[in-house]
Amino acid sequence: MKLLKNKKVTFVVLLAILAVLSTQSVSAMHIMEGYLPLFWCIFWFAVFLPFFVVGLMRIKKIVAEDPNSKTMLALSGAFIFILSSLKIPSVTGSSSHPTGVGLGTAMFGPSVISVLGTICLLFQALLLAHGGLTTLGANAFSMAVVGPFVGYFVYKFAKSIKLSTPVSIFICAVIADLATYATTSIQLGLVFPDANSGFVGSALKFMGVFLTTQIPIAIVEGLLTVVLYNLISENIKERAGLFK
């Protein structure tokens, strides 16, 4: 019981650290409304949509096989929503923030996150004025597609070389976070190429500014994800098998 209490305290402390970092005011999170030209808004929606459809089919299959999985799906979605709502000013038109996708990615695979992450982004755009509806496709592609898929790949690789589940989840969460911002940097670089170095130079500049704040955020997010995994394992033993 004392160990479980310590884990809960650790979870709250890590969440508080992220909250303190996010107390500064900022106009928007993710890529803000109106920041991308119409062509790129449509392009990213078109690229993202197939992943969303596959994610819906995957969730339907998971729930059909185990109706009790709805609880863990809801927890994964809530974790994404809370963490990705913590914003820290970074690049004009965007911000740094944790993504929270590592937990759900490790439990259900990356395709599920394309749905859960998009729902979170949609609610943030409508209720919190974070991100935007026209940029939803771009934001969802970076945070709900690329981040989870890259994170899942490194998670499975970590498990294949016999790393423990907590360590594998930590790596998954950190890399998924950083992959999200690498993608966002590319998206912004395509729209705003540097006058001298073009797309590559612009993307590298965006990435350099993002990573200043994103590396420590990703590490704290990874630790927070592991603590939540440990709490799940302690409280719902039968669910620990979800982490394959």
Side-chain angles (χ1 to χ4, degrees):
M1 182 63 68
K2 184 176 181 180
L3 179 61
L4 183 58
K5 182 178 180 181
N6 289 339
K7 289 177 180 177
K8 290 180 179 179
V9 170
T10 302
F11 182 85
V12 172
V13 169
L14 290 171
L15 191 59
I17 291 173
L18 290 176
V20 169
L21 289 173
S22 67
T23 54
Q24 305 175 66
S25 62
V26 63
S27 59
M29 72 183 302
H30 314 298
I31 300 178
M32 66 189 295
E33 184 69 65
Y35 206 66
L36 297 181
L38 179 61
F39 168 79
W40 288 109
C41 292
I42 296 173
F43 174 82
W44 291 117
F45 265 111
V47 173
F48 154 73
L49 192 58
F51 293 94
F52 185 80
V53 173
V54 172
L56 287 174
M57 295 170 62
R58 175 62 180 158
I59 289 177
K60 182 177 179 181
K61 181 179 179 181
I62 290 172
V63 173
E65 293 176 349
D66 179 15
N68 293 325
S69 63
K70 293 178 182 178
T71 302
M72 289 296 105
L73 285 167
L75 175 62
S76 299
F79 191 61
I80 295 171
F81 183 82
I82 292 172
L83 263 64
S84 62
S85 294
L86 300 174
K87 56 194 183 301
I88 302 168
S90 185
V91 177
T92 300
S94 188
S95 66
S96 290
H97 59 85
T99 63
V101 301
L103 183 74
T105 296
M107 280 198 289
F108 299 108
S111 59
V112 167
I113 308 303
S114 66
V115 177
L116 298 182
T118 302
I119 292 173
C120 293
L121 289 168
L122 179 60
F123 272 89
Q124 288 168 359
L126 293 174
L127 303 178
L128 303 179
H130 301 161
L133 296 179
T134 62
T135 58
L136 182 62
N139 290 326
F141 183 74
S142 61
M143 193 184 92
V145 175
V146 176
F149 272 89
V150 173
Y152 187 71
F153 174 80
V154 298
Y155 173 75
K156 298 300 286 187
F157 176 75
K159 294 292 288 182
S160 71
I161 60 175
K162 309 302 181 184
L163 294 182
S164 67
T165 299
V167 171
S168 300
I169 290 175
F170 173 80
I171 297 173
C172 172
V174 170
I175 297 301
D177 184 304
L178 297 179
T180 295
Y181 274 88
T183 305
T184 301
S185 299
I186 292 172
Q187 290 172 325
L188 293 174
L190 286 169
V191 178
F192 305 103
D194 185 85
N196 297 316
S197 53
F199 155 69
V200 174
S202 178
L204 289 176
K205 288 179 181 178
F206 277 121
M207 202 173 300
V209 176
F210 273 133
L211 292 182
T212 302
T213 51
Q214 204 60 35
I215 290 177
I217 289 174
I219 293 172
V220 175
E221 178 182 345
L223 295 172
L224 193 61
T225 304
V226 171
V227 173
L228 183 54
Y229 159 75
N230 289 334
L231 287 171
I232 293 173
S233 298
E234 289 287 340
N235 287 276
I236 317 175
K237 292 292 185 180
E238 64 270 22
R239 293 295 175 198
L242 282 170
F243 298 84
K244 301 300 184 183

